[in-house]
Amino acid sequence: MNISLEHKRHTLAHLLAAAVVEQYPHAKLTLGPAIDTGFYYDVDFSAGDTPGEEDLKGIQKSMKKLMNKWTEFTHEEVSVEQARQEFSGNQFKLELIEEIAAKGEVITLYTCGGFTDLCRGGHCENPKEEIASDAFKLDKIAGAYWRGDEKNPMLTRIYGLAFDTKDELAAYEKQLEEAKKRDHRKLGKELGLFSFSDLVGPGLPLWSPKGTILRQEVDAFVQQLRKEKGYQTVTIPHLAKKALYECSGHWQKYSEDLFKVRAKNDDESEEYVLKPMNCPHHTQIYDSEQRSYKELPIRYADTTMVYRAEQSGELSGLTRVLSITQDDAHVFCRESQLRTEIESIWDIVDTFYSAFGFTLKVRLSFHDPADVEKYLGEASIWNETEGLMETIAKDRQVDYFIGIGEASFYAPKIDFMAQDSIGRTHQVATIQLDRLLPERFDLSCINEQGEKERVVMIHAAIAGSLERFIAVLIEHTGGNFPFRFAPVQIAIIPVAEVHNAYASAIYEQLSKAGFRAEIDISNESMGKKIRAAKKGRLPYFIVVGDTDIETHSVTLESRDTGESKSLSIEALLAKLTLENT
Amino acid sequence: MNISLEHKRHTLAHLLAAAVVEQYPHAKLTLGPAIDTGFYYDVDFSAGDTPGEEDLKGIQKSMKKLMNKWTEFTHEEVSVEQARQEFSGNQFKLELIEEIAAKGEVITLYTCGGFTDLCRGGHCENPKEEIASDAFKLDKIAGAYWRGDEKNPMLTRIYGLAFDTKDELAAYEKQLEEAKKRDHRKLGKELGLFSFSDLVGPGLPLWSPKGTILRQEVDAFVQQLRKEKGYQTVTIPHLAKKALYECSGHWQKYSEDLFKVRAKNDDESEEYVLKPMNCPHHTQIYDSEQRSYKELPIRYADTTMVYRAEQSGELSGLTRVLSITQDDAHVFCRESQLRTEIESIWDIVDTFYSAFGFTLKVRLSFHDPADVEKYLGEASIWNETEGLMETIAKDRQVDYFIGIGEASFYAPKIDFMAQDSIGRTHQVATIQLDRLLPERFDLSCINEQGEKERVVMIHAAIAGSLERFIAVLIEHTGGNFPFRFAPVQIAIIPVAEVHNAYASAIYEQLSKAGFRAEIDISNESMGKKIRAAKKGRLPYFIVVGDTDIETHSVTLESRDTGESKSLSIEALLAKLTLENT
């Protein structure tokens, strides 16, 4: 967000606080920052009444009224003692004051319209003039622990939305509303794609036959694109000895997030780890033979699950899960082959996402030179690698930006963000260059001179996490999956029993040709059958009646265009075959 | 083995012991049973010389000499005190004596040819007459812990082979020799199918691109057969909360063999288990919706890994692994549908194994009525289920036998044993009927009367463990995989550089048609290229020379027939397409 918008949102947090203390004099203010879509303030109401969602309108009204007097911010530097005085009785602010003091920083108080708060600054000059009173709105109330720690008191968080203009606010609200309708948890259930079980546990989705088809078709598309580029599939077990991750460095960096596996409770020597990534295993396949430069690039692909220990409270639908299916791949190549390989992956990413109608943004995720101890390897290697990435991005003439500090600890990345049909962006594919794992695992080839030559690795997921991609895809399409990916592609609905035989013959022909067809010969009314096909978001359905039988044709209705047209069975097969590729 | 052969082998163990103590008076005898292919005796030589493999001939010679006097066994019951006296100084026999005494059992000593041993009996009446002296042979020496426990002293185990006749011994030795040549660990490495890494750990195979193709093709065949029978694929995570296995009963029965998974070391509440089976997860997909009888049978298939904690020392090649890929399936159906479903699985098993040239034997694995507390559920249910299985086996007119006590703890099974090309049998597919998990997970459908009706489950793996099946397949075929399953199906070898263009055109056509072809345009001699194709066990290779180009044809040489013939490219494609299905 631009600085002016951030200042507006921050100012609105102050204004919200002012309105709250006016109506709820017992309220203790804590913290209130600007956020991506507006602002919030965390308030302790424990000494009296707590507002509910029904009170938000009233508070918002006060805010607008107060704003008329908010024409100027003033601020003063105060001593610790003065600050303690000002906020005596508010243990939250006092805690903040002690922290600022301990760091030896200056304590500042900001005042506007007679309301004073402990603050570092960053507001509008003249709120009344700058903030459009119809471009913000109190949104919702939630619980939040003081400083996010569940051992601390629970506070009341009041959220507000805020934009530069009324139209922007309206557009965002529309997006929210649309997103709610498309919520993948809701649609996933409605379309029968996946479910959760209390016995299995949260964060561990169970995929139905329909959901499995969707997963398989998405993955098959990735694998098809990869096969054209010379990728080969490998298979690895889902666990490994701790030693593998000590060698890769993951153990030292991330051991808290790893699932540890043990057979006998008393056997310390046999500690295994559920794989959090696939790269260490893939290095071992590469390294199982001596490689000649003639074999390179070697490109291993593997769609398999990795495991990351998240707090149960953080698990949600398909977006935060404990077992993540990655369509992972690793390229082992020489320095001279790097550029071609990165371009080749980039081509796959472009083809893949455009097939679903996503627009891609590119972030070059580089290391933060101000925080070098976070990263493995020498600065010169990082700089060289990042330079190559930027050159490729420039030459491809894509719209990119650089994200300092967004690299993983062992390599810079090219991150792709997909913009969905309701305007949200999601981080999806990545291409990671890596000169460090080849060092740690001593990976080499024998070059033209008969010498050992260090190889380079590229990590490249296309869909990324299949769970997350499918969540995004469901919300992007509203469950209207493209024909090729739809779990059921076409329904055949006979008008009456007399049409069943002809309908069955069409069903058989479509199934034999490899299409996922369904025939509905239940006793339900035709209207109900059609509604069922529509509710299931089937790309097509065919209603079979007398005319169709007489003319040896079918009447095909399209979900996407709503149009109905009659065509011969040959023409139907040809049309669907074309759409399937 | 028949009882008479078992008695011979047991007698030979005594004879071995007698020969050993004659030559090594310091030897302390421990235990010496009959085994599947002969016998062994575990001996403690720690008080003096230990024989090596080079000494086996001498010991065997003494056995044959001693046997001339072995014409009759006598036995006597002795008191604990007498027994202690007889074996004073042998702590192993003394330990056994105390155990027999503690159980209140009778202690018996058996004597033949002047040699006495602590024994329960089961020998030849007249060893000299009954045992053919050319039908047994001392085989090898290995180390073995006293009673299999690594905390106990290491003993020397002397193995002998023994059969009824010389020819049977010779046939078995030939089988051993052939098996050694075909050892899947050796061939797997030679053909580049899989490898192991010390960092990943033993029992955790890493599959190369070639090995992965083999796995995928085997699995694709199973899935093709299943699809024809109405199976659908589902996808499940590889872990679940302990609660799932408490409900299924696996936790109570097998918790020692389960891999426990924990994120935070101090968090007892979040214990997960790496799945040892897939059935509990599949019940949860079934149970994610209310099911109508109209939906049944519901058939879930899923090729996925399960995990069993084995001792590291027991891990070997692909036959004992920690992560086992199962081509698992579960059918949920009504009682009235059981028979059809079992028959349908049996059809798949027959088609699958005959495609690889295996002969199947069938074991009906029933519960042991003498040991009912081992099994979950009522005896009447077990009897009914087993009765149905036997009826089906009879009606299919297959050769079956009943294995009492071979059932799993929750259901009887139909186990299939495949006989391989060198005469060994391997346990492969299983069909398990199960009325118990549906009880435990309360699985039902709504029947015609609108009432809840308990469903029945069938567990059915076809290849079983993919690792084990591939080990068996490698040794069965000696690496000469059927065309459809060969990782590389055909090599194209131009005679000289001038033939490269034509060879490449053929390569492109074959690849485009979906065949796994390789073209060898290296600078090696043609002889070397052909040897490489043969060593890789490629089903076919094509040598491209002048005549082929002139006549627009190819010369195809077959691995299996050794024949070479010229055919047009169209004919080649047609022939290979036929073989690929």
Tab-separated table of all heavy atoms in Angstrom, chain A residues 462-497:
chain	number	residue	atom	x	y	z
A	462	ILE	N	5.480	-26.368	-9.881
A	462	ILE	CA	4.624	-25.633	-10.830
A	462	ILE	C	3.302	-25.261	-10.152
A	462	ILE	O	3.047	-24.099	-9.878
A	462	ILE	CB	4.396	-26.438	-12.134
A	462	ILE	CG1	5.737	-26.869	-12.753
A	462	ILE	CG2	3.569	-25.605	-13.123
A	462	ILE	CD1	6.696	-25.760	-13.111
A	463	ALA	N	2.469	-26.266	-9.861
A	463	ALA	CA	1.247	-25.944	-9.114
A	463	ALA	C	1.631	-25.565	-7.682
A	463	ALA	O	0.887	-24.886	-6.990
A	463	ALA	CB	0.287	-27.125	-9.110
A	464	GLY	N	2.800	-26.016	-7.234
A	464	GLY	CA	3.242	-25.728	-5.869
A	464	GLY	C	2.644	-26.759	-4.937
A	464	GLY	O	2.847	-27.944	-5.128
A	465	SER	N	1.916	-26.296	-3.943
A	465	SER	CA	1.149	-27.223	-3.115
A	465	SER	C	-0.145	-27.519	-3.849
A	465	SER	O	-0.897	-26.609	-4.195
A	465	SER	CB	0.845	-26.592	-1.759
A	465	SER	OG	-0.408	-27.042	-1.267
A	466	LEU	N	-0.404	-28.780	-4.104
A	466	LEU	CA	-1.617	-29.158	-4.825
A	466	LEU	C	-2.866	-28.789	-4.022
A	466	LEU	O	-3.893	-28.396	-4.588
A	466	LEU	CB	-1.593	-30.668	-5.105
A	466	LEU	CG	-1.948	-31.106	-6.523
A	466	LEU	CD1	-1.138	-30.376	-7.563
A	466	LEU	CD2	-1.767	-32.612	-6.677
A	467	GLU	N	-2.765	-28.906	-2.703
A	467	GLU	CA	-3.906	-28.545	-1.851
A	467	GLU	C	-4.209	-27.058	-2.009
A	467	GLU	O	-5.343	-26.654	-2.232
A	467	GLU	CB	-3.616	-28.859	-0.375
A	467	GLU	CG	-3.665	-30.344	-0.023
A	467	GLU	CD	-2.447	-31.115	-0.509
A	467	GLU	OE1	-1.419	-30.467	-0.820
A	467	GLU	OE2	-2.510	-32.350	-0.597
A	468	ARG	N	-3.164	-26.257	-1.907
A	468	ARG	CA	-3.351	-24.816	-1.988
A	468	ARG	C	-3.801	-24.405	-3.388
A	468	ARG	O	-4.693	-23.580	-3.553
A	468	ARG	CB	-2.026	-24.133	-1.638
A	468	ARG	CG	-2.221	-22.749	-1.147
A	468	ARG	CD	-1.023	-22.238	-0.378
A	468	ARG	NE	-1.161	-20.804	-0.326
A	468	ARG	CZ	-0.849	-20.006	-1.343
A	468	ARG	NH1	-0.326	-20.500	-2.449
A	468	ARG	NH2	-1.043	-18.706	-1.245
A	469	PHE	N	-3.191	-25.016	-4.409
A	469	PHE	CA	-3.574	-24.677	-5.772
A	469	PHE	C	-5.045	-24.982	-6.001
A	469	PHE	O	-5.770	-24.204	-6.629
A	469	PHE	CB	-2.714	-25.428	-6.796
A	469	PHE	CG	-3.136	-25.135	-8.210
A	469	PHE	CD1	-2.770	-23.945	-8.813
A	469	PHE	CD2	-3.962	-26.010	-8.905
A	469	PHE	CE1	-3.209	-23.634	-10.097
A	469	PHE	CE2	-4.407	-25.712	-10.181
A	469	PHE	CZ	-4.017	-24.519	-10.787
A	470	ILE	N	-5.489	-26.132	-5.496
A	470	ILE	CA	-6.896	-26.508	-5.720
A	470	ILE	C	-7.835	-25.585	-4.944
A	470	ILE	O	-8.898	-25.215	-5.442
A	470	ILE	CB	-7.103	-28.011	-5.425
A	470	ILE	CG1	-6.475	-28.789	-6.588
A	470	ILE	CG2	-8.585	-28.355	-5.265
A	470	ILE	CD1	-6.555	-30.276	-6.498
A	471	ALA	N	-7.421	-25.172	-3.760
A	471	ALA	CA	-8.214	-24.180	-3.017
A	471	ALA	C	-8.359	-22.913	-3.857
A	471	ALA	O	-9.458	-22.368	-4.017
A	471	ALA	CB	-7.542	-23.864	-1.682
A	472	VAL	N	-7.233	-22.453	-4.409
A	472	VAL	CA	-7.249	-21.231	-5.232
A	472	VAL	C	-8.093	-21.453	-6.482
A	472	VAL	O	-8.903	-20.607	-6.867
A	472	VAL	CB	-5.794	-20.828	-5.602
A	472	VAL	CG1	-5.788	-19.735	-6.663
A	472	VAL	CG2	-5.032	-20.361	-4.359
A	473	LEU	N	-7.927	-22.626	-7.098
A	473	LEU	CA	-8.651	-22.929	-8.339
A	473	LEU	C	-10.163	-22.964	-8.100
A	473	LEU	O	-10.946	-22.467	-8.914
A	473	LEU	CB	-8.173	-24.277	-8.898
A	473	LEU	CG	-8.756	-24.681	-10.256
A	473	LEU	CD1	-8.332	-23.704	-11.349
A	473	LEU	CD2	-8.311	-26.096	-10.635
A	474	ILE	N	-10.556	-23.554	-6.978
A	474	ILE	CA	-11.990	-23.610	-6.653
A	474	ILE	C	-12.542	-22.192	-6.533
A	474	ILE	O	-13.591	-21.860	-7.082
A	474	ILE	CB	-12.234	-24.392	-5.339
A	474	ILE	CG1	-11.926	-25.881	-5.526
A	474	ILE	CG2	-13.679	-24.211	-4.859
A	474	ILE	CD1	-11.951	-26.696	-4.229
A	475	GLU	N	-11.799	-21.332	-5.833
A	475	GLU	CA	-12.300	-19.971	-5.607
A	475	GLU	C	-12.194	-19.110	-6.871
A	475	GLU	O	-13.032	-18.252	-7.118
A	475	GLU	CB	-11.571	-19.338	-4.408
A	475	GLU	CG	-11.785	-20.196	-3.149
A	475	GLU	CD	-11.362	-19.561	-1.832
A	475	GLU	OE1	-10.845	-18.422	-1.850
A	475	GLU	OE2	-11.567	-20.207	-0.781
A	476	HIS	N	-11.176	-19.381	-7.670
A	476	HIS	CA	-10.986	-18.651	-8.930
A	476	HIS	C	-12.109	-18.975	-9.906
A	476	HIS	O	-12.654	-18.091	-10.578
A	476	HIS	CB	-9.627	-19.071	-9.505
A	476	HIS	CG	-9.324	-18.593	-10.892
A	476	HIS	ND1	-9.281	-17.266	-11.231
A	476	HIS	CD2	-9.014	-19.287	-12.019
A	476	HIS	CE1	-8.966	-17.161	-12.521
A	476	HIS	NE2	-8.809	-18.370	-13.022
A	477	THR	N	-12.483	-20.238	-9.989
A	477	THR	CA	-13.494	-20.669	-10.969
A	477	THR	C	-14.884	-20.751	-10.352
A	477	THR	O	-15.856	-20.992	-11.077
A	477	THR	CB	-13.172	-22.086	-11.504
A	477	THR	OG1	-13.189	-23.006	-10.389
A	477	THR	CG2	-11.815	-22.142	-12.173
A	478	GLY	N	-14.990	-20.597	-9.034
A	478	GLY	CA	-16.279	-20.806	-8.380
A	478	GLY	C	-16.758	-22.238	-8.566
A	478	GLY	O	-17.959	-22.508	-8.560
A	479	GLY	N	-15.810	-23.161	-8.757
A	479	GLY	CA	-16.168	-24.574	-8.940
A	479	GLY	C	-16.467	-24.939	-10.390
A	479	GLY	O	-16.706	-26.094	-10.705
A	480	ASN	N	-16.452	-23.928	-11.267
A	480	ASN	CA	-16.660	-24.189	-12.702
A	480	ASN	C	-15.330	-24.534	-13.353
A	480	ASN	O	-14.728	-23.731	-14.064
A	480	ASN	CB	-17.283	-22.958	-13.374
A	480	ASN	CG	-18.653	-22.661	-12.825
A	480	ASN	OD1	-19.521	-23.535	-12.794
A	480	ASN	ND2	-18.843	-21.438	-12.362
A	481	PHE	N	-14.851	-25.759	-13.097
A	481	PHE	CA	-13.538	-26.153	-13.595
A	481	PHE	C	-13.546	-26.267	-15.112
A	481	PHE	O	-14.549	-26.672	-15.697
A	481	PHE	CB	-13.129	-27.495	-12.983
A	481	PHE	CG	-13.149	-27.485	-11.482
A	481	PHE	CD1	-14.012	-28.304	-10.784
A	481	PHE	CD2	-12.314	-26.623	-10.776
A	481	PHE	CE1	-14.049	-28.285	-9.395
A	481	PHE	CE2	-12.354	-26.595	-9.386
A	481	PHE	CZ	-13.220	-27.424	-8.693
A	482	PRO	N	-12.407	-25.928	-15.742
A	482	PRO	CA	-12.322	-26.131	-17.188
A	482	PRO	C	-12.620	-27.602	-17.527
A	482	PRO	O	-12.336	-28.489	-16.727
A	482	PRO	CB	-10.861	-25.793	-17.507
A	482	PRO	CG	-10.396	-24.924	-16.381
A	482	PRO	CD	-11.174	-25.358	-15.183
A	483	PHE	N	-13.152	-27.832	-18.704
A	483	PHE	CA	-13.597	-29.159	-19.126
A	483	PHE	C	-12.594	-30.262	-18.804
A	483	PHE	O	-12.941	-31.273	-18.211
A	483	PHE	CB	-13.860	-29.142	-20.641
A	483	PHE	CG	-14.388	-30.449	-21.163
A	483	PHE	CD1	-15.684	-30.843	-20.904
A	483	PHE	CD2	-13.572	-31.300	-21.904
A	483	PHE	CE1	-16.171	-32.061	-21.380
A	483	PHE	CE2	-14.050	-32.517	-22.379
A	483	PHE	CZ	-15.352	-32.899	-22.120
A	484	ARG	N	-11.345	-30.020	-19.177
A	484	ARG	CA	-10.321	-31.054	-18.990
A	484	ARG	C	-10.169	-31.488	-17.536
A	484	ARG	O	-9.765	-32.604	-17.252
A	484	ARG	CB	-8.997	-30.490	-19.505
A	484	ARG	CG	-7.832	-31.374	-19.190
A	484	ARG	CD	-6.585	-30.883	-19.852
A	484	ARG	NE	-5.491	-31.765	-19.492
A	484	ARG	CZ	-4.297	-31.695	-20.004
A	484	ARG	NH1	-4.030	-30.786	-20.908
A	484	ARG	NH2	-3.350	-32.522	-19.625
A	485	PHE	N	-10.450	-30.569	-16.597
A	485	PHE	CA	-10.163	-30.839	-15.185
A	485	PHE	C	-11.415	-31.202	-14.382
A	485	PHE	O	-11.305	-31.602	-13.231
A	485	PHE	CB	-9.484	-29.616	-14.569
A	485	PHE	CG	-8.215	-29.252	-15.281
A	485	PHE	CD1	-8.210	-28.279	-16.274
A	485	PHE	CD2	-7.034	-29.923	-14.996
A	485	PHE	CE1	-7.047	-27.971	-16.961
A	485	PHE	CE2	-5.872	-29.623	-15.685
A	485	PHE	CZ	-5.875	-28.643	-16.672
A	486	ALA	N	-12.593	-31.059	-14.984
A	486	ALA	CA	-13.835	-31.312	-14.245
A	486	ALA	C	-13.942	-32.787	-13.858
A	486	ALA	O	-13.781	-33.660	-14.704
A	486	ALA	CB	-15.029	-30.904	-15.105
A	487	PRO	N	-14.192	-33.072	-12.575
A	487	PRO	CA	-14.308	-34.477	-12.144
A	487	PRO	C	-15.365	-35.240	-12.942
A	487	PRO	O	-15.127	-36.357	-13.357
A	487	PRO	CB	-14.691	-34.360	-10.673
A	487	PRO	CG	-14.105	-33.058	-10.231
A	487	PRO	CD	-14.255	-32.155	-11.429
A	488	VAL	N	-16.534	-34.610	-13.154
A	488	VAL	CA	-17.506	-35.184	-14.094
A	488	VAL	C	-17.658	-34.156	-15.205
A	488	VAL	O	-17.896	-32.985	-14.944
A	488	VAL	CB	-18.868	-35.460	-13.427
A	488	VAL	CG1	-19.817	-36.111	-14.422
A	488	VAL	CG2	-18.698	-36.328	-12.193
A	489	GLN	N	-17.487	-34.610	-16.445
A	489	GLN	CA	-17.431	-33.654	-17.545
A	489	GLN	C	-18.773	-33.434	-18.215
A	489	GLN	O	-19.037	-32.367	-18.753
A	489	GLN	CB	-16.398	-34.144	-18.577
A	489	GLN	CG	-14.986	-34.224	-17.991
A	489	GLN	CD	-13.987	-34.760	-18.991
A	489	GLN	OE1	-14.146	-35.847	-19.521
A	489	GLN	NE2	-12.938	-33.994	-19.241
A	490	ILE	N	-19.595	-34.456	-18.175
A	490	ILE	CA	-20.830	-34.343	-18.952
A	490	ILE	C	-21.903	-35.282	-18.383
A	490	ILE	O	-21.598	-36.410	-18.008
A	490	ILE	CB	-20.516	-34.639	-20.449
A	490	ILE	CG1	-21.731	-34.432	-21.345
A	490	ILE	CG2	-19.956	-36.040	-20.656
A	490	ILE	CD1	-21.345	-34.291	-22.811
A	491	ALA	N	-23.117	-34.757	-18.279
A	491	ALA	CA	-24.235	-35.580	-17.800
A	491	ALA	C	-25.176	-35.864	-18.960
A	491	ALA	O	-25.390	-34.995	-19.813
A	491	ALA	CB	-24.988	-34.859	-16.690
A	492	ILE	N	-25.719	-37.056	-18.990
A	492	ILE	CA	-26.675	-37.426	-20.037
A	492	ILE	C	-28.014	-37.691	-19.359
A	492	ILE	O	-28.106	-38.513	-18.446
A	492	ILE	CB	-26.182	-38.662	-20.809
A	492	ILE	CG1	-24.833	-38.319	-21.443
A	492	ILE	CG2	-27.189	-39.070	-21.872
A	492	ILE	CD1	-23.919	-39.498	-21.546
A	493	ILE	N	-29.007	-36.946	-19.811
A	493	ILE	CA	-30.297	-36.961	-19.123
A	493	ILE	C	-31.405	-37.330	-20.100
A	493	ILE	O	-31.797	-36.512	-20.940
A	493	ILE	CB	-30.576	-35.565	-18.501
A	493	ILE	CG1	-29.436	-35.190	-17.546
A	493	ILE	CG2	-31.929	-35.553	-17.791
A	493	ILE	CD1	-29.487	-33.755	-17.064
A	494	PRO	N	-31.902	-38.549	-20.034
A	494	PRO	CA	-33.022	-38.916	-20.903
A	494	PRO	C	-34.306	-38.236	-20.427
A	494	PRO	O	-34.533	-38.113	-19.213
A	494	PRO	CB	-33.136	-40.434	-20.753
A	494	PRO	CG	-32.324	-40.802	-19.553
A	494	PRO	CD	-31.445	-39.660	-19.182
A	495	VAL	N	-35.108	-37.767	-21.386
A	495	VAL	CA	-36.354	-37.071	-21.039
A	495	VAL	C	-37.322	-38.046	-20.366
A	495	VAL	O	-37.933	-37.733	-19.351
A	495	VAL	CB	-37.004	-36.443	-22.296
A	495	VAL	CG1	-38.393	-35.888	-21.977
A	495	VAL	CG2	-36.100	-35.338	-22.844
A	496	ALA	N	-37.444	-39.239	-20.929
A	496	ALA	CA	-38.344	-40.240	-20.340
A	496	ALA	C	-37.694	-41.612	-20.480
A	496	ALA	O	-36.655	-41.759	-21.145
A	496	ALA	CB	-39.692	-40.205	-21.041
A	497	GLU	N	-38.342	-42.619	-19.876
A	497	GLU	CA	-37.749	-43.948	-19.852
A	497	GLU	C	-37.491	-44.478	-21.250
A	497	GLU	O	-36.514	-45.207	-21.480
A	497	GLU	CB	-38.677	-44.894	-19.084
A	497	GLU	CG	-37.907	-45.953	-18.315
A	497	GLU	CD	-38.851	-46.891	-17.559
A	497	GLU	OE1	-39.760	-46.374	-16.871
A	497	GLU	OE2	-38.682	-48.116	-17.687
